Amino acid sequence: MNIGGGDRVNIGGGDRNNINVNIGNRENNINNIRNKWTNIDHDRRPFDRNWWDGGHHHYDHGWRWHNGWDRYPNHWCWRPATWAAFGTWFTWAAWPQPYTYDYGSTVVYRDNYVYVNDQQYASADQYYTQAVNIAESVPKDVDAEMVDWMPLGVFAIAEESATDTGMMVQLAVSKEGIIAGTFYNDITGEDRPLQGMVDQKTQRAAWQFADGKNQDVVMETGIYNLTKDEATALVHFGEEDTQTWLMVRLPEPEEDGSQPAQ
């Protein structure tokens, strides 16, 4: 099924009390996903300068953060971020150390509670509400045309039990902690805007669709996870269904000579 579709989605029938990761399968899935996208035709890769300059940012409210991204170098948004770069990027003081969110390992659902490092942290409903509140805490008084962005990269996303879904997310973060990006389905060609926030206190990053549809669907991970080549994330399909997904960083496309790098 398509996470970006108009209907309520339940991919894989996930059980919020049984989402621990099968480590052996994870490595195979990561290799399969990355190999697919490493070998894919150059023309199949979205998010180059032509993408942003060619109408994919649509000039409606949901895409407001993306307007002007064609000013950045070609394939800019595929570039990875480093933890060190965050030290001077955000408007707040640097975090002394990263928090590790390994969903299914250090963060688990059990008996309708969320446990972090084996300590009961919140009820499952409370944890979902926190994710929603983070995603919806985008400041209202920020001029989108004045925002500077740091690319976080492009990630293939898939259930931990799936080898490939054709789905990916492209993400960037502003100095104010705003998350913006794009959900893209390579199979259907569908693209949808994303927006959310980084929580300064917990380092949780949460985002949702910015086009007003599927507002109960929230994806979250630790901001430190977005500096890694692969990591786990949670996809909340409303209060009743939370699933562990994989985020697999995809390599930046090589320049083909048609557009000079800047």
Side-chain angles (χ1 to χ4, degrees):
M1 285 189 178
N2 178 5
I3 192 175
D7 296 328
R8 174 70 181 266
V9 186
N10 181 7
I11 302 177
D15 181 350
R16 73 191 323 173
N17 293 322
N18 187 26
I19 61 173
N20 293 331
V21 174
N22 185 320
I23 300 299
N25 288 340
R26 182 196 297 180
E27 290 303 317
N28 289 333
N29 295 344
I30 288 172
N31 290 335
N32 289 335
I33 291 169
R34 185 170 287 122
N35 287 340
K36 181 246 185 168
W37 283 100
T38 298
N39 297 321
I40 201 168
D41 291 341
H42 186 278
D43 292 342
R44 289 272 302 280
R45 294 177 181 268
F47 313 133
D48 60 9
R49 191 184 295 110
N50 285 335
W51 173 274
W52 302 116
D53 194 37
H56 284 91
H57 45 299
H58 299 314
Y59 295 102
D60 63 23
H61 184 73
W63 292 90
R64 68 191 184 282
W65 304 116
H66 309 67
N67 290 332
W69 281 10
D70 58 334
R71 72 183 186 270
Y72 291 115
N74 197 32
H75 298 140
W76 157 84
C77 62
W78 289 78
R79 296 177 182 175
T82 64
W83 176 256
F86 292 154
T88 57
W89 177 250
F90 294 111
T91 56
W92 55 79
W95 290 301
Q97 62 184 15
Y99 296 156
T100 301
Y101 287 86
D102 188 359
Y103 301 100
S105 178
T106 63
V107 181
V108 298
Y109 281 76
R110 187 168 63 246
D111 299 326
N112 288 319
Y113 283 90
V114 174
Y115 290 79
V116 179
N117 295 321
D118 294 325
Q119 299 295 315
Q120 190 177 101
Y121 180 79
S123 70
D125 290 346
Q126 289 171 336
Y127 203 74
Y128 169 72
T129 299
Q130 291 171 6
V132 172
N133 289 340
I134 294 171
E136 294 182 347
S137 64
V138 178
K140 307 297 184 184
D141 58 349
V142 174
D143 185 348
E145 295 184 0
M146 301 300 293
V147 174
D148 292 324
W149 297 96
M150 177 190 292
L152 296 172
V154 178
F155 299 85
I157 59 172
E159 285 183 277
E160 58 191 9
S161 60
T163 55
D164 181 61
T165 62
M167 295 184 285
M168 63 176 73
V169 292
Q170 167 269 319
L171 299 171
V173 65
S174 77
K175 291 180 179 294
E176 299 81 6
I178 302 167
I179 296 283
T182 309
F183 166 88
Y184 180 70
N185 189 319
D186 176 65
I187 297 173
T188 65
E190 178 185 26
D191 57 281
R192 297 177 63 183
L194 303 170
Q195 72 171 9
M197 283 292 291
V198 180
D199 183 65
Q200 179 182 351
K201 181 178 179 180
T202 64
Q203 299 180 19
R204 286 167 70 182
W207 58 91
Q208 59 191 164
F209 294 113
D211 56 9
K213 303 174 183 178
N214 308 108
Q215 290 299 283
D216 59 341
V217 177
V218 180
M219 190 169 188
E220 71 161 282
T221 193
I223 187 68
Y224 178 56
N225 287 3
L226 297 177
T227 69
K228 297 181 177 181
D229 288 339
E230 59 265 343
T232 54
L234 292 181
V235 181
H236 303 279
F237 297 99
E239 294 185 358
E240 301 301 325
D241 187 9
T242 295
Q243 299 175 17
T244 301
W245 279 43
L246 300 176
M247 298 186 69
V248 181
R249 182 180 301 282
L250 302 179
E252 179 181 353
E254 296 181 0
E255 294 296 332
D256 62 359
S258 62
Q259 301 181 71
Q262 296 184 0

